[in-house]
């Protein structure tokens, strides 16, 4: 029996369906061939919309219950290193991630009915999230706490007094999720306390050739004194159709006027080609291409 999902994975399939393949970037990614069972990884070359080109190398060193991921990129400061250790205790995963100016750690636990994850962004925030699962029904909550929520402005003259910036709320953000999933269907509702954004998402594989999904986000209304129009709900609807095996056509339409299209061709079990336009309504369309080789 599968485990309860982690909070960070709730709604991920719908987000990937509506956003992942629609891009203006040109990207090539290849798996690093290795005859060693302890070494694997990927190398990628990306040309972004602004014309800049970046190269990234991401080797992974595998051990019995642990792995070390490195990510070296010409797009500084994106270099990072991550260590992951699984099943130190049954169902647990411990991770440490270091970048040039930050250090993060996390502890995750999963079983059939429950998952718990904690994350620590050193000296900044502490996050705690939990998910309950039973017969396809899911409920979860995530909270992020400030570790430092008070700052003092230094005295700049002999007559000035130090000023204390008002304390930020101890709970920086709280997000609540509820959903229902089956092997061919998933639907979620969520609400964010800090941004006051609520949303609904839905994804269903109707047939072996047709998949549909949508996302609706309701942002809080802007104050009337700004003179700007209220921010209505934004709805995105996506459809994927496979006319022949290994070929898929995707399109998405949003109420803000954007229309995206994508062509996906699975060249082999280890290679995929994607050609996409993120928004065909813009004055100058830019096509994005992605070629992934030996994608494990």
């Amino acid at each position: 029996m599968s485990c309860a999902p982690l909070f960070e994975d709730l709604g991920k399939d719908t987000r990937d369906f509506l956003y992942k393949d629609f891009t203006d970037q040109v990207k090539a990614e290849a798996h690093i061939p290795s005859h060693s069972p302890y070494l694997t990884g990927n190398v990628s070359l990306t040309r972004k919309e602004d014309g800049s080109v970046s190269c990234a190398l991401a080797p992974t060193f595998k051990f019995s219950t642990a792995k070390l991921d490195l990510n070296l990129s010409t797009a500084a400061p994106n270099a990072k290193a991550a260590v992951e250790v699984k099943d130190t205790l049954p169902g647990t995963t411990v991770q440490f991630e270091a970048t040039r100016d930050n250090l993060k750690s996390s502890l995750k636990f999963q079983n059939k009915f429950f998952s718990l994850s904690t994350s620590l962004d050193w000296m900044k925030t502490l996050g705690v999230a939990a998910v309950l699962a039973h017969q396809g029904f899911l409920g979860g909550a995530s909270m992020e706490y400030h570790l430092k929520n008070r700052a003092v402005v230094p005295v700049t003259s002999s007559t000035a007094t130090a000023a204390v910036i008002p304390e930020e709320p101890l709970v920086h953000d709280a997000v609540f999720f509820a959903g229902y999933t089956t092997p061919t269907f998933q639907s979620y509702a969520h609400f964010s306390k800090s941004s006051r954004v609520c949303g609904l998402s839905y994804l269903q594989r109707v047939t072996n050739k047709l998949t549909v999904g949508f996302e609706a986000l309701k942002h809080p209304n802007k104050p009337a004194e700004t003179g700007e129009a209220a921010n209505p709900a934004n709805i995105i609807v996506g459809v994927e159709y496979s006319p022949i095996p290994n070929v898929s056509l995707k399109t998405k339409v949003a109420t803000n006027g954007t229309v995206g299209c994508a062509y996906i061709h699975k060249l082999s079990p280890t290679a995929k080609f994607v050609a996409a336009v993120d928004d065909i309504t813009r004055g100058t369309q830019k096509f994005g291409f992605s070629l992934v080789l030996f994608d494990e």
Side-chain angles (χ1 to χ4, degrees), residues 21-28 47-49 261-264 273-279 282 285-291:
D21 292 320
F22 301 96
T23 177
D24 285 339
Q25 297 182 356
V26 177
K27 182 176 182 179
R47 184 182 185 277
K48 299 182 179 179
E49 185 179 2
C261 297
Y263 168 85
I264 306 165
F273 171 76
V274 179
V277 180
D278 186 49
D279 183 10
R282 290 188 302 181
Q285 288 78 31
K286 291 187 177 181
F287 288 87
F289 301 94
S290 174
L291 179 63

Side-chain angles (χ1 to χ4, degrees), residues 121-163:
D121 190 342
W122 290 87
M123 306 307 293
K124 294 181 181 179
T125 58
L126 170 67
V128 180
V131 175
L132 296 175
H134 181 64
Q135 294 183 351
F137 292 95
L138 301 169
S142 170
M143 294 189 180
E144 189 175 87
Y145 300 87
H146 279 291
L147 298 182
K148 291 184 178 180
N149 62 337
R150 173 176 289 186
V152 177
V153 178
V155 178
T156 57
S157 69
S158 58
T159 59
T161 57

Side-chain angles (χ1 to χ4, degrees), residues 17-287:
F17 178 79
L18 293 173
Y19 299 103
K20 186 175 182 179
D21 292 320
F22 301 96
T23 177
D24 285 339
Q25 297 182 356
V26 177
K27 182 176 182 179
E29 181 178 352
H31 177 70
I32 301 174
S34 173
H35 297 291
S36 170
Y38 305 106
L39 175 63
T40 183
N42 294 283
V43 60
S44 63
L45 183 68
T46 304
R47 184 182 185 277
K48 299 182 179 179
E49 185 179 2
D50 59 6
S52 62
V53 178
S54 64
C55 181
L57 176 65
T60 298
F61 301 89
K62 296 182 178 180
F63 307 95
S64 56
T65 60
K67 69 175 182 177
L68 170 63
D69 291 312
L70 301 177
N71 193 321
L72 308 173
S73 173
T74 57
N78 290 336
K80 68 179 181 180
V83 177
E84 179 180 289
V85 181
K86 286 190 174 183
D87 294 327
T88 304
L89 295 174
T92 61
T93 301
V94 180
Q95 294 178 321
F96 296 92
E97 180 180 304
T99 60
R100 187 178 65 175
D101 54 3
N102 199 13
L103 177 64
K104 298 179 181 180
S105 62
S106 66
L107 173 63
K108 303 173 183 178
F109 171 79
Q110 290 176 276
N111 67 14
K112 179 180 176 182
F113 302 108
F114 176 74
S115 74
L116 175 68
S117 56
T118 62
S119 61
L120 177 62
D121 190 342
W122 290 87
M123 306 307 293
K124 294 181 181 179
T125 58
L126 170 67
V128 180
V131 175
L132 296 175
H134 181 64
Q135 294 183 351
F137 292 95
L138 301 169
S142 170
M143 294 189 180
E144 189 175 87
Y145 300 87
H146 279 291
L147 298 182
K148 291 184 178 180
N149 62 337
R150 173 176 289 186
V152 177
V153 178
V155 178
T156 57
S157 69
S158 58
T159 59
T161 57
V164 179
I165 297 176
E167 290 188 0
E168 297 176 349
L170 176 62
V171 179
H172 174 61
D173 192 14
V175 181
F176 304 93
F177 253 92
Y180 178 72
T181 66
T182 70
T184 61
F185 168 88
Q186 54 183 268
S187 179
Y188 293 97
H190 71 270
F191 172 74
S192 173
K193 177 180 177 293
S194 65
S195 62
R196 314 298 294 179
V197 173
C198 56
L200 296 171
S201 65
Y202 160 87
L203 181 66
Q204 182 173 9
R205 189 172 71 245
V206 181
T207 67
N208 291 334
K209 293 185 176 183
L210 180 64
T211 302
V212 297
F214 91 91
E215 179 182 62
L217 297 176
K218 178 64 172 69
H219 298 267
N221 291 338
K222 298 178 180 178
E225 58 268 19
T226 63
E228 299 181 17
N231 202 340
N234 186 39
I235 300 175
I236 302 176
V237 179
V239 178
E240 180 177 10
Y241 178 69
S242 178
I244 58 176
N246 300 322
V247 173
S248 297
L249 304 175
K250 290 181 70 173
T251 185
K252 66 174 181 179
V253 180
T255 53
N256 62 5
T258 60
V259 179
C261 297
Y263 168 85
I264 306 165
H265 191 170
K266 192 172 183 180
L267 303 173
S268 73
T270 57
K272 183 176 74 170
F273 171 76
V274 179
V277 180
D278 186 49
D279 183 10
I280 64 175
T281 63
R282 290 188 302 181
T284 56
Q285 288 78 31
K286 291 187 177 181
F287 288 87

